[in-house]
């Protein structure tokens, strides 16, 4: 059927309570989005599935929930205060601020890679190819300058006594600074992992393709601490694990690919992304990074606290290496929605929009639909019973066809219809979202039937 466009997805998300523009009644606020009643459930399910795979089922992995506001020295140690910046320039005519690398990527379509270019080289490329401002069409740019992406705020009760602090631009540092505490409290032996899911903030300038690039977003990160000589093997293992997770939550492998980084940080020995084929093309979904002992060494240097780990078997002391796996929950949400969205033409020409979400990710696992309102005495108890086990929704408004369509659009895997036969045989009709096939089941069978289908 028709190609998925971002506009189509944004309209569906708004209309069905998945995602709304942030502060909409005040005219919105660029690059911020609010999750609605359906969206928050889907996103929570994504985070739960990730946690299950990377903490609960992962050997020797432990979760943390670190503070968003951290001692500013953390960001000196991590290198963010000095170099967490994007090359930006302003349009002299309409004053829009743009990322030079994004502008070049959009123009070059893979023929050059701005990640490997200096500011001077980017400036020369923009002048040579007369790259125009996407907002007003002018070709008059200020020189490229580096802008730090961290949001600053101030701590303290009086102006004189303020200390500059930052909203964390990544969750990873919360895992690094807790390395010793987690290791000691759990008595974990290397190799072990620390994971976290939480908010991060970046003062991104380039508008971001819906929730692809936002200024406030959630990350799901896992740091694997290991011996340097084992890091290559773990890097490959986490590439595989990251890909398998995506396949298991419903992605088609044709829509995913690995992309090695063209430019490595001086301390890293390998880095790659998994890209997803979004409506705007192949873009980064998550990253995997073999970072060596850089992070813990820097925190040792800046905090003065030893980050040495003592091997309990041979007494060897060393600073562990890190294999980082990082994925944005919102960017994954966008990929999940794009992957699930489908339109199909039914007999008679009607177009059915359906979110073919993996059942484990769907907001509601089933909808309970009395064929007529006067069947509510039979339908309500079924709904009350099922909602003790999983999220279900009750809908008795409108024709049964319209109610099916509403559930299809939010990806509810099963619709349970209570009809007049239910009064006699205590059975209901269960319609499966993707095939639209219907089976007749006893009310007592519903819980295990749905429970089996939504397992992850
Ligand atoms: N600790 C490593 C780190 O933060 P990153 O590549 O900057 O690495 C990791 O970010 C992931 O976070 C990305 O792959 C992406 O999924 C997500 N992400 C990064 N910036 C984002 C933004 N502005 N909006 C939404 N998601 C973002």
């Amino acid at each position: 059927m028709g190609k998925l466009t971002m506009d189509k997805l944004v309209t569906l998300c708004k209309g069905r309570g998945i995602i709304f523009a942030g502060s909409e009644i005040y005219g919105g606020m660029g690059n911020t989005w609010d999750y609605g009643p359906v969206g928050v459930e889907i996103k929570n399910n994504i985070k739960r599935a990730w946690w299950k795979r990377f903490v609960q089922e992962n050997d020797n992995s432990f979760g943390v929930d670190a503070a968003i506001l951290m001692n500013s020295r953390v960001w000196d140690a991590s290198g963010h205060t000095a170099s967490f910046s994007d090359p930006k320039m302003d349009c002299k005519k309409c004053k829009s601020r743009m990322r030079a690398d994004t502008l070049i990527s959009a123009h070059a379509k893979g023929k050059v890679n701005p990640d490997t270019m200096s500011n001077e080289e980017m400036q020369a490329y923009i002048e040579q190819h007369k790259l125009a401002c996407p907002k007003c069409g002018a070709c008059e740019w200020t020189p490229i300058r580096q802008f730090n992406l961290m949001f600053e705020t101030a701590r303290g009760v009086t102006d004189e006594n303020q200390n500059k602090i930052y909203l964390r631009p990544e969750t990873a540092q919360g895992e690094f600074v807790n390395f010793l505490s987690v290791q000691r409290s759990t008595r974990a032996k290397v190799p072990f992992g620390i994971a976290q899911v939480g908010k991060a903030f970046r003062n991104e300038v380039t508008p971001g393709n819906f929730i692809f690039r936002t200024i406030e977003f959630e990350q799901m990160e896992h740091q694997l601490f290991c011996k340097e000589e084992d890091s290559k093997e773990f890097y490959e293992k986490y590439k595989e694990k990251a890909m398998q997770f995506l396949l298991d939550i419903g992605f088609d492998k044709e829509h995913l690919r690995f992309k090695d980084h063209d430019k490595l940080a001086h301390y890293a020995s390998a880095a790659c992304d998994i890209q997803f084929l979004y409506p705007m093309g192949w873009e980064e979904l998550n990253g995997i990074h073999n970072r060596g002992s850089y992070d813990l060494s820097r925190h040792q240097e800046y905090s003065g606290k030893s980050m040495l780990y003592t091997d309990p078997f041979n007494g060897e002391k060393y600073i562990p290496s890190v294999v980082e796996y990082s994925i944005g929950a919102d960017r994954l949400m966008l990929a999940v929605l794009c992957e699930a969205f489908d339109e199909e033409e039914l007999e008679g020409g009607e177009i059915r929009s359906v979110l073919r979400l993996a059942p484990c990710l769907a907001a509601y696992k089933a909808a309970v639909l009395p064929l007529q309102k006067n069947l509510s005495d039979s339908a309500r108890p079924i709904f009350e019973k099922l909602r003790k086990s999983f999220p279900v929704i009750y809908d008795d408004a409108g024709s049964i066809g319209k109610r099916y369509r509403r559930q299809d659009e939010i990806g509810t895997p099963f619709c349970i219809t209570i009809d007049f036969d239910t009064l006699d045989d205590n059975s209901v009709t269960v319609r499966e979202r993707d095939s639209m096939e219907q089976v007749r089941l006893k009310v007592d069978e519903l819980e295990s039937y749905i429970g089996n289908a939504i397992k992850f």
Side-chain angles (χ1 to χ4, degrees), residues 141-427:
W141 297 106
T142 59
I144 298 172
R145 281 177 300 155
Q146 293 298 131
F147 279 87
N148 198 293
L149 293 180
M150 284 199 292
F151 277 106
E152 290 175 11
T153 186
R155 180 174 193 273
V157 284
T158 61
D159 282 348
E160 304 84 65
N161 195 18
Q162 282 184 341
N163 278 325
K164 196 198 285 182
I165 54 172
Y166 302 95
L167 300 188
R168 69 180 174 200
E170 61 169 17
T171 55
Q173 299 306 321
E175 290 143 59
F176 296 135
V177 300
N178 281 300
F179 164 74
L180 285 179
S181 304
V182 171
Q183 194 274 323
R184 284 179 188 150
S185 59
T186 60
R187 289 178 295 140
K189 294 181 187 64
V190 165
F192 73 93
I194 303 183
Q196 174 166 217
V197 175
K199 289 262 184 182
F201 304 82
R202 294 182 189 178
N203 201 356
E204 303 272 10
V205 167
T206 313
N209 279 314
F210 197 18
I211 53 169
F212 179 79
R213 180 173 289 112
T214 50
I215 56 178
E216 173 183 344
F217 54 98
E218 274 183 281
Q219 288 187 313
M220 307 189 286
E221 299 201 285
H222 183 277
Q223 316 294 336
L224 191 275
F225 300 94
C226 62
K227 288 185 100 157
E228 206 266 321
E229 59 264 38
D230 297 333
S231 67
K232 196 165 179 296
E233 194 183 323
F234 279 114
Y235 174 73
E236 294 303 328
K237 189 173 157 196
Y238 271 79
K239 276 175 71 174
E240 228 173 84
K241 267 177 104 68
M243 181 61 89
Q244 193 57 51
F245 171 67
L246 296 172
L247 298 177
D248 291 347
I249 58 168
F251 283 90
D252 179 338
K253 67 175 183 308
E254 298 298 312
H255 299 158
L256 299 168
R257 69 180 188 192
F258 286 108
K259 172 85 175 60
D260 285 333
H261 286 195
D262 294 314
K263 202 162 101 181
L264 287 181
H266 64 90
Y267 50 81
S269 57
C272 73
D273 295 334
I274 294 179
Q275 294 184 329
F276 172 69
L277 189 54
Y278 289 95
M280 65 279 187
W282 287 101
E283 293 286 352
E284 174 187 347
L285 171 57
N286 71 231
I288 303 128
H289 213 159
N290 189 347
R291 303 177 59 88
S293 59
Y294 175 80
D295 305 283
L296 293 183
S297 302
R298 291 277 289 192
H299 284 302
Q300 173 169 286
E301 183 188 338
Y302 279 72
S303 68
K305 296 277 183 313
S306 168
M307 293 288 160
L308 284 173
Y309 168 78
T310 307
D311 189 313
F313 301 110
N314 60 14
E316 184 194 350
K317 287 184 189 302
Y318 60 92
I319 296 184
S321 287
V322 166
V323 173
E324 176 181 70
Y325 155 55
S326 175
I327 185 163
D330 310 84
R331 202 172 280 188
L332 178 55
M333 171 92 179
L334 178 62
V336 161
L337 293 174
C338 293
E339 184 75 6
F341 183 86
D342 193 16
E343 285 177 320
E344 66 177 350
E345 191 173 338
L346 303 177
E347 272 176 40
E350 191 198 343
I351 304 296
R352 174 172 93 114
S353 298
V354 52
L355 276 187
R356 300 189 192 278
L357 292 171
C360 63
L361 301 185
Y364 305 110
K365 307 309 176 190
V368 176
L369 315 174
L371 195 59
Q372 291 184 5
K373 279 199 167 132
N374 59 6
L375 285 164
S376 64
D377 282 353
S378 304
R380 286 297 307 185
I382 296 174
F383 169 68
E384 306 285 350
K385 182 160 182 272
L386 289 178
R387 77 172 170 182
K388 290 201 159 57
S389 303
F390 26 71
V392 283
I393 187 166
Y394 189 87
D395 187 3
D396 61 5
S399 73
I400 193 74
K402 285 215 175 95
R403 283 184 271 164
Y404 282 159
R405 294 291 167 271
R406 282 202 287 268
Q407 297 307 322
D408 288 344
E409 286 187 5
I410 61 170
T412 307
F414 300 106
C415 284
I416 300 165
T417 307
I418 285 82
D419 54 27
F420 288 100
D421 289 340
T422 309
L423 306 180
D424 297 328
D425 63 5
N426 207 28
S427 295

Side-chain angles (χ1 to χ4, degrees), residues 77-95:
S78 67
H80 282 79
T81 15
S83 58
F84 189 56
S85 55
D86 278 343
K88 307 244 169 90
M89 57 195 187
D90 295 336
C91 169
K92 286 187 184 163
K93 195 161 167 224
C94 72
K95 311 291 178 223

